[in-house]
Amino acid sequence: MTRPPSRRTVLGAAAAGAAALPHLSLPTAAAAPGTRAANALPIPDTWRVHPFRLDQVTLGDGVFREKRDLMLEYARAYPADRILAIFRANAGLDTRGANPPGGWETADGNLRGHYAGHFLTLVAQAYADTREPALREKLDYLVTALGECQAAIADSDTPASHPGYLAAYPETQFVLLESYTTYPTIWAPYYTCHKIMRGLLDAHLLGGNEEALRIVSAMGDWAHSRLSRLPRAQLERMWGIYIAGEYGGMNEVLADLHTLTGKPEHLATARLFDNTALLTACAEDRDVLDGRHANQHIPQFSGYVRLHDETGDADYLTAARNFWGMVVDHRTYALGGTGQGEMFRARDAIAATLDDNNAETCAAYNMLKLSRYLFLHEPDPALMDYYERALTNQILASRLDRPSTRDPQVTYFIGMGPGVTRGFGNTGTCCGGTGMENHTKYQETIYLRSADGGTLYVNLYLASALTWADRGFTLTQESPFPHEGDAVLTITEGDGPLELRLRVPYWATGGYTVTVNGVRQRVDARPGGYASLRRDWRRGDVIRVQMPYTLRTEAAPDDPTVQSLFNGPVLLAAHDGATELLQHALYPRLTLTGDLSAVVQPADQPGHFTLEGRTLAPFHIGDTTPYHAYFRRAETTIAFRGADSGVPNRADATGTSYLDRLWSQANVELPAELAGTPKPERRERAREVLELVGLDGFEKQLPGQLS
């Protein structure tokens, strides 16, 4: 059967050719003069870890802030009337001479309106971060105009089925979905609805706009009126339709709305979006993801986590945890992204699916959101290890390193195949929308706190400052991340007891040391965990964390000869336009330390290396240079430090070679300590390893290799 064209393909082809709204009065936090208070979403009792508001954490100098600032320029400059044009046209209002943004956001586009929702979130996040009055004015202007459109539709000669209806197209798409119309005749009407509702809710929560809550609450009422009359079997069939039935995070936004309004209809409607067959399979830990549309399903599981919070149904949370493992452990490329051509592929099919259309940016956006939700329930460091990988490599890499006020300049796919390039732009697409959001909320997970306020989690080593007013603490972090792994945290305000949990990244195999005011601390610092510091802190205390980067490879699960190269957490991309995998041999030049720096040499630019004459650059650099994120290991004979035995380097049934087994044993017992003065026991252990694999002839080289 021929699969319908992907939305990205359709985009390419296209490029070629507040009436009666309920009044809600909710408490708001006191605002400082010249600012507006945000309305914090009440924190569920199920969360063991609590977030800080976006405005409580500010970014310091560095790559993350530079990428953020590029998107802030776009948020400030892009005309609000262009965002509103198609809404006004649909409502019969004056478009004020503005043209719609383009891409999928056109006068006749079947997904029109979704981009406006993302833009609302962009401006709301930008305002929460910067407190710039002009951004608040733009946000208020957008919300007011959307309210006018909602009221105009309700008062028109052909009103929608409920006065809360708000969209950039008539209600027809929703009617057609109920009769199982397929894509591309209709494009995911509830997906578009979700983006608008989420943007309005963010305008309320981040920008303090009360009108936005009244508008989105009425939209929730409309959704209930439309869906509550449909039998469950009809809903199930609707949500299973490829793309047409895609609904984004409708269950999540309705659960959030219920938390604010307390209206049982909003929670009941959230549960109408249960995709029961997939939900049940994941709750039972049955992996049925192969062939499913990745971003159609990832946000559903963030919604299930929120439904667990609101209903207490444990299956929702169990399903989300199992789903996360199916994606992260079995369908994630080196950069942290997932999918080929928007689709989940077979479990562990990584080397087999390297292409120019891997890792849809929307999917990474939603996997980060799901990871964060799961961490709030259970602070498992594996969740933050993944979060850091995807944020540092995919999300940073998804923004071009050049300014633009006309286009978000973000990626759709990020190819993992040989010799691919990144395409930037994406005005009006789904990834253009999530891309706008990605770069204006980098700080949201750097710090989290325990429910009782007694513990502060330092999850990411990004230059930043935290203001924790409830505890009277202000903490600043200086860090060159992702260029280096060291960080300095200073208690700039505050005194008293507090446990700091400092994340020990999975990649920190070259050592992890912590000092407080210059005194080294005895901490359990195993990679993939947290190091704990409990003490009475005083203003001026300085915590220094040192975790030197080391070079390492990661093998694809379906073909261990296909590997990626990392410097600490940073994926390295070989600059080369060849369309076949590059081949490299690393083992023959290694010493007994297993240190890849014997082969991979530093280049002149920070964070850059060379390997056999090719440049290896940090993957997060946003440019259009052809690259290879993977290469093939080509080591046919057993060799060591230039001495070739001529014996074949045979592989076992899993594809693991003889030398792979040798170095896995050597590296376990012989870490970076060997770079120091050799000890007799280390030299003896090295002899044992070599004898174990039959390479005792190399024993004469030991003294030189161990010194």
Side-chain angles (χ1 to χ4, degrees), residues 553-576:
T553 60
E554 290 185 1
D558 52 336
D559 185 348
T561 69
V562 176
Q563 300 184 0
S564 52
L565 183 63
F566 286 81
N567 182 34
V570 179
L571 177 63
L572 297 176
H575 286 179
D576 197 300

Side-chain angles (χ1 to χ4, degrees), residues 601-610:
Q601 302 290 328
D604 292 337
Q605 292 176 272
H608 289 63
F609 296 83
T610 61

Side-chain angles (χ1 to χ4, degrees), residues 144-164:
T144 298
L146 289 173
E148 292 168 353
C149 291
Q150 189 181 50
I153 293 170
D155 289 341
S156 70
D157 294 336
T158 55
S161 62
H162 185 281

Side-chain angles (χ1 to χ4, degrees), residues 160-174:
S161 62
H162 185 281
Y165 180 73
L166 174 61
Y169 44 61
E171 208 171 3
T172 312
Q173 283 216 35
F174 298 92

Side-chain angles (χ1 to χ4, degrees), residues 470-541:
D470 292 346
R471 288 294 313 273
F473 280 107
T474 301
L475 180 146
T476 60
Q477 181 178 176
E478 300 172 83
S479 170
F481 188 91
H483 300 306
E484 297 175 21
D486 296 352
V488 177
L489 298 99
T490 304
I491 307 295
T492 50
E493 294 289 343
D495 300 283
L498 180 68
E499 179 187 6
L500 283 184
R501 289 190 184 170
L502 306 169
R503 181 170 149 266
V504 185
Y506 68 98
W507 48 262
T509 56
Y512 183 98
T513 60
V514 180
T515 63
V516 176
N517 301 329
V519 179
R520 183 164 179 171
Q521 305 297 298
R522 295 176 60 88
V523 293
D524 182 0
R526 285 170 290 185
Y530 280 88
S532 177
L533 293 176
R534 291 186 179 91
R535 61 186 287 146
D536 282 341
W537 299 96
R538 296 290 179 263
R539 178 179 178 179
D541 284 345

